[in-house]
Amino acid sequence: MQNNHNIIISQGPVCLKGSVRISGSKNASLPLLAATVLFKNKVVFTNLPHLDDIGTLAALLSSIGSQVEWINDGLTLEHKDKHSLYLDPNMANKIRGSILLLGPILARYGEIRLPMPGGCPIGKRPIDFHIHALEQLGATFIVEEHQIYGVAPAGLKGAYIRFPKPTVTGTENLIMAACLASGITVLENCACDNEIDELIKFLKSGGVSIERNHTTIIIEGKNQFLEAQSPFKIASDRMEAGSLLAACAMTEGHIELKYESCPGLDVVLEHLTDMGMDFSTTPHGLRALVNKPLRARSFITEPHPGFPTDLQAPFMALNCVSHGFSMIEERIWENRFFHAEEFLKMGAQLSIQGSQVSCHGHRTLQGALLTAQDLRGSCALLLMSLVAKGTTIIQKNHHLDRGYEFFINKINMLGGKISRQWCNDKELSEYGIKRSSLVA
Ligand code: EPU
């Protein structure tokens, strides 16, 4: 029997040039979709990215009574009275974003049985902060190996809650739950990522009073469901924008990013400016240009507004081909260096020690057979293939589709030479790949 393998084939080196539109933000869209459970009428989102993670969360919402309709560049969702609270484990396990149903479903129905969320294997990914904080609002939980069962029969009550450390989806869950709690909730030591501001903006448009002052968020609970007023346009994805800027820098290219609003890019722009990249604003967004060889820059990933962990992999790729020595320290996730092992196969000069990677940049990379293991890492492998000489083949590339909309098309429009192929064993051997080297 012939096996088929879905692989990405990329020919390098290339130089990226041209204009590209940045898609709606994945990590802003997920909490916005979950928040529709709190609304009494139809919600319309525009600029929603077509991504596997978004489709999975929409399907989960549909399974508990949301009428979901895909429209031109978005989605309408109307949460009808529940017909079931059963959430399919096979869907919930596929994405981390399913954890975002915990707060809103509990707040609306006083009960939830949530299969353990999945997502990229980048660390332990505990949910204790979500659970403890919701307990302070009056919920009780039984957390088992494969599911979380929560109840709040008397409804949720506003409380003072301090997170032990900033958590993005934890903050989002609590904001959503507090919207339908009685009284005031004060959340301290919150994450303050731009995606949280998008959620607050959306919930405020539904009639809740929410104030954020740095890492403190105050929510005045409403004893009634929220009411959507007009279509909500999702902001552009700062991680996609950052990844494309890294690609432009690596290929010493010249690109324009088109977007209406892409909050949270400042830290990336400062970082790249410091490396020697030039920027100018255009009527549609931002133009990036490399006029001189870029200097590698060390960085440490930290909660917002620090350097984002979700750009660690693409910016490690950039340091691999920039001049000089750099150190990268990952402080958010304990297991987010899969891509570094793959970079070594291309000839990158890296040394991995615990949560740190040291790197000597050079531009003589060679195409190789690589395995993607997580979303941001798979993007970084693709970026490396743009600079490497010859053919790079990336297997397990489905991770990319979970978080980057039309990414391969976009890179190709800018000058990339990337194709996706289903190959059988014989065709693979024509690329010099033995079946035994493929991951099952
Ligand atoms: N943490 C706990 N207990 C908790 C929650 C978090 O100890 O209950 C710890 C984590 O182990 C981690 C830190 O707190 O060390 C931050 O985790 P956070 O909860 O902020 O992560 P998350 O909400 O699960 C979101 C993004 C991630 C992104 C992180 C950090 C979504 C859907 N996911 O995850 O995005 O890396 O924040 O910015 O918003 C990605 O898009 O590729 C991605 C992984």
Side-chain angles (χ1 to χ4, degrees):
M1 198 180 96
Q2 283 284 339
N3 280 316
N4 275 327
H5 311 276
N6 181 220
I7 56 170
I8 286 174
I9 304 175
S10 175
Q11 304 289 344
V14 296
C15 175
L16 300 190
K17 286 190 178 141
S19 287
V20 64
R21 188 186 75 82
I22 303 301
S23 300
S25 159
K26 168 180 87 80
N27 286 349
S29 302
L30 292 167
L32 292 172
L33 255 59
T36 59
V37 171
L38 307 171
F39 283 70
K40 65 177 176 197
N41 61 339
K42 190 188 270 189
V43 177
V44 182
F45 293 118
T46 60
N47 202 32
L48 187 83
H50 287 81
L51 296 171
D52 288 355
D53 278 19
I54 303 288
T56 304
L57 190 61
L60 278 167
L61 285 164
S62 161
S63 74
I64 57 155
S66 291
Q67 270 181 10
V68 180
E69 200 184 322
W70 293 90
I71 52 172
N72 204 8
D73 73 334
L75 192 68
T76 69
L77 277 132
E78 186 164 13
H79 199 71
K80 301 280 187 189
D81 279 337
K82 67 171 177 179
H83 52 74
S84 154
L85 276 187
Y86 174 75
L87 294 162
D88 182 349
N90 291 326
M91 283 200 270
N93 292 165
K94 265 180 35 191
I95 56 168
R96 179 69 185 169
S98 52
I99 190 68
L100 290 161
L101 298 173
L102 194 62
I105 292 185
L106 196 60
R108 179 156 183 162
Y109 296 115
E111 183 185 7
I112 182 162
R113 200 178 286 276
L114 181 69
M116 275 299 170
C120 292
I122 51 182
K124 289 193 211 88
R125 311 201 79 172
I127 48 158
D128 51 328
F129 300 165
H130 303 236
I131 299 291
H132 293 155
L134 287 166
E135 280 172 346
Q136 289 175 70
L137 291 186
T140 43
F141 290 95
I142 300 171
V143 181
E144 294 168 350
E145 193 187 343
H146 297 296
Q147 70 164 357
I148 307 153
Y149 177 62
V151 285
L156 298 173
K157 256 201 185 141
Y160 169 84
I161 294 159
R162 187 176 171 82
F163 288 107
K165 67 176 182 182
T167 156
V168 176
T169 50
T171 302
E172 290 163 347
N173 251 330
L174 264 288
I175 295 173
M176 292 187 278
C179 284
L180 297 190
S182 58
I184 292 179
T185 297
V186 179
L187 303 175
E188 282 201 348
N189 202 25
C190 294
C192 49
D193 296 63
N194 304 86
E195 293 72 19
I196 293 172
D197 283 334
E198 289 296 301
L199 176 66
I200 293 176
K201 192 162 121 193
F202 175 58
L203 294 169
K204 282 172 86 166
S205 76
V208 197
S209 162
I210 308 178
E211 293 305 325
R212 179 170 83 76
N213 187 358
H214 301 286
T215 57
T216 300
I217 298 173
I218 302 173
I219 306 113
E220 234 176 87
K222 246 170 106 86
N223 265 336
Q224 49 186 323
F225 298 142
L226 283 57
E227 190 167 358
Q229 305 297 335
S230 48
F232 190 87
K233 184 163 186 176
I234 290 163
S236 298
D237 196 311
R238 62 186 168 118
M239 301 312 166
E240 187 203 339
S243 303
L244 284 165
L245 289 174
C248 174
M250 288 173 75
T251 63
E252 301 186 326
H254 177 192
I255 66 172
E256 182 192 28
L257 302 184
K258 294 205 240 173
Y259 53 79
E260 235 173 71
S261 155
C262 191
L265 257 189
D266 311 11
V267 62
V268 174
L269 299 184
E270 275 166 30
H271 188 97
L272 287 168
T273 305
D274 203 53
M275 291 180 78
M277 200 167 186
D278 291 319
F279 296 98
S280 56
T281 50
T282 71
H284 308 291
L286 178 80
R287 192 181 306 285
L289 170 68
V290 178
N291 275 320
K292 51 185 175 293
L294 298 182
R295 295 175 301 274
R297 189 181 160 184
S298 300
F299 63 90
I300 296 170
T301 65
E302 286 176 316
H304 191 76
F307 193 90
T309 173
D310 293 346
L311 287 177
Q312 177 254 106
F315 276 70
M316 186 189 293
L318 173 56
N319 276 1
C320 284
V321 295
S322 302
H323 279 268
F325 173 78
S326 60
M327 288 290 295
I328 296 168
E329 186 172 340
E330 172 59 56
R331 287 207 185 151
I332 306 292
W333 301 115
E334 53 285 16
N335 202 11
R336 211 174 201 184
F337 285 153
F338 293 119
H339 48 278
E341 304 276 357
E342 302 302 296
F343 292 174
L344 292 171
K345 297 178 186 164
M346 309 179 92
Q349 282 185 21
L350 297 174
S351 162
I352 309 162
Q353 285 128 356
S355 62
Q356 293 183 336
V357 168
S358 54
C359 174
H360 288 274
H362 68 92
R363 296 192 69 80
T364 46
L365 299 176
Q366 192 65 42
L369 167 65
L370 308 175
T371 305
Q373 308 257 20
D374 62 59
L375 166 59
R376 306 297 170 187
S378 67
C379 171
L381 300 187
L382 204 65
L383 301 197
M384 288 290 267
S385 78
L386 303 175
V387 192
K389 214 168 143 211
T391 307
T392 296
I393 298 189
I394 306 172
Q395 53 177 333
K396 292 212 150 189
N397 57 61
H398 58 277
H399 293 287
L400 194 69
D401 304 325
R402 293 191 27 237
Y404 288 91
E405 190 187 44
F406 310 134
F407 201 65
I408 291 177
N409 293 359
K410 289 181 181 185
I411 296 274
N412 282 344
M413 273 164 39
L414 296 172
K417 294 180 190 156
I418 307 174
S419 61
R420 258 189 147 129
Q421 284 186 26
W422 283 97
C423 286
N424 58 31
D425 296 344
K426 182 167 172 283
E427 287 158 337
L428 278 177
S429 68
E430 282 158 20
Y431 288 109
I433 301 173
K434 288 198 197 81
R435 191 180 183 288
S436 58
S437 61
L438 281 162
V439 173

